[in-house]
Amino acid sequence: MTTSDTAGFDAIVIGAGFSGLYALHRLREQGLRTVVLEKAENVGGTWLFNRYPGARCDIESIEYSYSFSDETQQEWVWTETMPRQPEIEAYLNFVADRLDLRRDIRFHTEVTGMTFDEAASRWEVRTAAGDTLTAPFVVAATGILSVPKEPEIAGMDTFGGLSLFTSRWPKHDVDLTGKRVGVIGTGSTGVQLIPVVAQQAEHLTVFQRSPAYTLPWEVRPFDDGELDELKANYAEIRAAQREHAVGAARLSAFSVMFEMMTKPPLKSASREEQLRAIDEGGIIGALSWGDVFFDIEANQMAAKLYGEAVARIVEDPATAAALTPTHPFGCKRPIIDQGYYQTFNRDNVTLVDLRKGPIVEVTPTGIRTEQGDYELDAIIYATGFDAMTGAMTRISVTGRDGMSLADFWSTEGPYAYLGIAVAGFPNLFIVQAPGSPAPASNFVTALEHHVEWIGDCIEYLRANGYSTIEALPDAQREWIEHTAELVAPTVLVHPTCNSWYNGGNVPGKKRMYMGYTAGIPEYRRRCDEVVDAGYAGFKLA
Ligand code: NA7
């Protein structure tokens, strides 16, 4: 492939995950000659790579799926209320086949760089194989949780046993039977993985730096006829979902949190009321207070109550205490769990509280901490992602006047306008850029809106003879100020909040809460307002 035989696209989409597949379908339906460049061998994005045992979505399957095509939502059969990774991967393959998307996807094609040619108003997109493709528009569907955060622990390469990374889990089955396994990381991934690995391993040692807040919930197979009944009501389900702040009107980790905000305040609750909350609601009850997200003292009180609720499940008091979080609830993404705390009652599970002495290094035979050495046959790293910006900063993106996106985001901050476009980078649409509702909502609801907005925008430009659209720096600044004002009254901005939401999980990353928290309907209203005003905040040329 050379430049000449790949020129002539109207749009290049980067990534064949949830966002990229819909972007391809949508732009192709609009008559744009579109190509998707995907580094992997298949569709799926994050849901292709994160195939670790226990991987599952924390939003219900019938809502964590495309709503744009009634055929696909009626034909696909979900087997469980909240889908496991293999089923989501299979679903995305089904959609790719059903909508005949594969013919326009180039697999094994990693984008390494892209430069905006100002004279021609086109992007030149370069691949690892040395090819260059050009198109006036680029849609970066590169994912918000697609780039693993390397744990950067000394000696990792020296380990003589099996090293496994949850975000690039092998395709073949990994048998951990009879092995001494260590897991590093207790975010959503660790909380899903740990109960499953505990059942297989001879011994499991969990290395925990920050205890998780989890929301135990039953995930179950659909009853006979239940899915058909839901499908018969899909129009209502989708309408409710669209109007819900978190883009999921049924059960999800977000909707549980959303519900909490409607409860009475903890600070004025009597001890009896507090105890009743955990008697009746368990660890979810400990957190279900209206002031918890807005008042750090209430949040700290809820953390203590949470610890009491954990101690009712975990038999060893020292382990229960070690599993009690000290960071504010809400700072990290809530986690729907399946038997997480019960796992620590097993004889073959040990918890190492790294707050009492951190990991020093990985040795050829295990992990050395300040508290002692642990001999292991396998180490599983569940250490998170360089979220939101990580994928685009790994591509050398050069906009107007030689401006580098990676430099801009690392020096100024992860700024974008409307969570879609960055000033200085014309005709580049980033699905779920910083400032979009994605981190605090059902990602699929959010991305469908993004893709549709982008499709309509390109249609408008072509219909009205414009060749470029570009976010204006002032509009971008105002949007970022607006997103910051929304989270200012919450515990999300507390200095002890370190998470992928604000870049605090990646050393050296510019700190800023990267989501839009006024909810999806309000976000949609603002995006409509921008369009109605002739793409206010953008320069069209
Ligand atoms: P998270 O939520 O970022 O969790 C990563 C975990 O790994 C977290 O417990 C970290 O502790 C821990 N971690 C990271 N680096 C280290 C080192 N060096 N040593 C010890 N522990 C470490 O990522 P997940 O993959 O679990 O979930 C990401 C999202 O995927 C989730 O929010 C859902 O949206 C789906 P820390 O908290 O930094 O102290």
Side-chain angles (χ1 to χ4, degrees):
M1 193 165 62
T2 64
T3 304
S4 55
D5 64 348
T6 56
F9 292 107
D10 297 316
I12 295 170
V13 175
I14 309 174
F18 255 109
S19 305
L21 292 179
Y22 184 31
L24 169 60
H25 176 69
R26 171 79 192 211
L27 297 180
R28 220 168 58 176
E29 291 282 288
Q30 289 177 212
L32 273 73
R33 193 170 169 238
T34 307
V35 65
V36 176
L37 307 180
E38 167 57 59
K39 71 177 172 199
E41 74 287 1
N42 204 348
V43 301
T46 290
W47 289 111
L48 177 64
F49 292 107
N50 286 268
R51 49 176 73 228
Y52 58 88
R56 185 189 285 283
C57 183
D58 57 9
I59 294 171
E60 289 200 11
S61 47
I62 56 161
E63 292 192 318
Y64 191 82
S65 48
Y66 295 120
S67 70
F68 69 83
S69 151
D70 197 45
E71 292 75 38
T72 58
Q73 70 183 11
Q74 291 298 339
E75 284 172 29
W76 180 254
V77 179
W78 295 108
T79 63
E80 291 179 293
T81 50
M82 287 185 181
R84 287 171 207 264
Q85 176 274 333
E87 199 158 283
I88 303 175
E89 188 189 335
Y91 165 75
L92 290 170
N93 275 273
F94 156 77
V95 172
D97 293 331
R98 183 69 175 76
L99 302 178
D100 189 20
L101 299 177
R102 290 182 202 277
R103 65 185 154 90
D104 290 314
I105 304 174
R106 295 188 187 178
F107 295 108
H108 301 290
T109 305
E110 183 175 359
V111 173
T112 52
M114 46 189 280
T115 302
F116 188 67
D117 177 347
E118 294 186 44
S121 295
R122 296 177 79 79
W123 280 97
E124 279 179 13
V125 176
R126 300 180 294 282
T127 73
D131 298 318
T132 301
L133 292 82
T134 66
F137 300 103
V138 170
V139 178
T142 39
I144 62 172
L145 292 161
S146 51
V147 174
K149 190 209 113 185
E150 297 303 334
E152 289 153 355
I153 300 170
M156 279 169 61
D157 293 348
T158 68
F159 184 56
L162 186 61
S163 296
L164 294 159
F165 297 82
T166 51
S167 50
R168 42 182 189 277
W169 195 264
K171 287 191 191 72
H172 57 83
D173 280 348
V174 180
D175 187 8
L176 298 171
T177 314
K179 289 195 165 45
R180 296 163 302 170
V181 181
V183 171
I184 303 177
T186 50
S188 300
T189 302
V191 167
Q192 290 187 338
L193 173 93
I194 285 162
V196 181
V197 171
Q199 289 171 27
Q200 238 188 52
E202 180 191 303
H203 195 90
L204 169 63
T205 308
V206 176
F207 296 87
Q208 168 199 268
R209 196 164 64 181
S210 303
Y213 289 97
T214 79
L215 310 171
W217 212 273
E218 185 205 5
V219 176
R220 56 176 180 83
F222 281 119
D223 294 334
D224 279 351
E226 187 182 357
L227 183 65
D228 290 338
E229 210 170 297
L230 290 166
K231 283 180 174 178
N233 293 318
Y234 237 141
E236 291 79 17
I237 290 170
R238 294 303 192 185
Q241 182 179 343
R242 270 173 63 82
E243 292 315 313
H244 197 286
V246 299
R250 301 168 64 84
L251 174 69
S252 69
F254 294 119
S255 57
V256 173
M257 282 180 83
F258 197 72
E259 186 67 24
M260 289 172 177
M261 292 188 222
T262 65
K263 303 281 170 138
L266 175 54
K267 272 174 106 175
S268 45
S270 66
R271 179 68 182 151
E272 288 68 37
E273 286 167 327
Q274 294 180 18
L275 288 175
R276 197 178 319 129
I278 54 174
D279 287 345
E280 291 170 6
I283 64 177
I284 295 185
L287 302 167
S288 296
W289 306 97
D291 47 357
V292 159
F293 298 111
F294 305 99
D295 183 330
I296 193 69
E297 283 174 22
N299 200 299
Q300 285 159 351
M301 286 168 68
K304 278 184 71 182
L305 201 53
Y306 185 89
E308 288 181 48
V310 169
R312 292 181 178 193
I313 310 171
V314 177
E315 288 151 13
D316 174 45
T319 306
L323 285 163
T324 302
T326 43
H327 66 275
F329 172 59
C331 292
K332 296 174 199 266
R333 163 106 179 223
I335 302 167
I336 287 207
D337 104 60
Q338 315 252 276
Y340 179 64
Y341 290 114
Q342 288 80 354
T343 301
F344 292 92
N345 291 333
R346 294 175 65 105
D347 290 340
N348 70 333
V349 176
T350 307
L351 179 70
V352 179
D353 182 359
L354 297 174
R355 294 176 296 186
K356 292 187 179 145
I359 293 175
V360 178
E361 60 179 348
V362 175
T363 67
T365 55
I367 291 179
R368 174 165 301 143
T369 74
E370 281 186 3
Q371 307 169 51
D373 285 14
Y374 297 85
E375 299 284 304
L376 301 167
D377 304 308
I379 300 176
I380 303 177
Y381 297 90
T383 45
F385 298 88
D386 182 356
M388 301 298 292
T389 54
M392 289 304 281
T393 55
R394 277 157 182 79
I395 298 172
S396 170
V397 182
T398 308
R400 213 179 266 296
D401 302 324
M403 185 174 171
S404 149
L405 183 61
D407 288 352
F408 174 64
W409 276 351
S410 65
T411 52
E412 299 293 320
Y415 300 158
Y417 178 43
L418 283 186
I420 289 179
V422 183
F425 299 87
N427 292 9
L428 169 61
F429 300 97
I430 303 175
V431 183
Q432 304 184 327
S436 91
S441 63
N442 178 355
F443 171 85
V444 183
T445 315
L447 78 86
E448 282 194 325
H449 175 262
H450 275 257
V451 167
E452 284 155 19
W453 192 94
I454 292 165
D456 290 347
C457 175
I458 294 177
E459 188 85 14
Y460 178 87
L461 298 173
R462 286 160 61 98
N464 291 281
Y466 292 113
S467 57
T468 58
I469 182 165
E470 187 175 353
L472 293 169
D474 281 353
Q476 179 168 282
R477 201 192 55 250
E478 282 164 22
W479 182 256
I480 293 299
E481 284 168 4
H482 169 56
T483 59
E485 276 164 18
L486 290 171
V487 286
T490 73
V491 296
L492 284 166
V493 295
H494 196 264
T496 57
C497 280
N498 289 312
S499 81
W500 66 261
Y501 281 167
N502 61 13
N505 67 325
V506 178
K509 192 162 169 175
K510 204 92 178 170
R511 238 181 120 96
M512 186 187 95
Y513 180 79
M514 290 183 276
Y516 180 76
T517 51
I520 289 201
E522 174 60 10
Y523 175 75
R524 197 184 308 119
R525 191 191 67 72
R526 284 183 172 261
C527 289
D528 289 349
E529 217 171 63
V530 164
V531 173
D532 293 345
Y535 288 90
F538 288 97
K539 181 178 163 198
L540 278 55

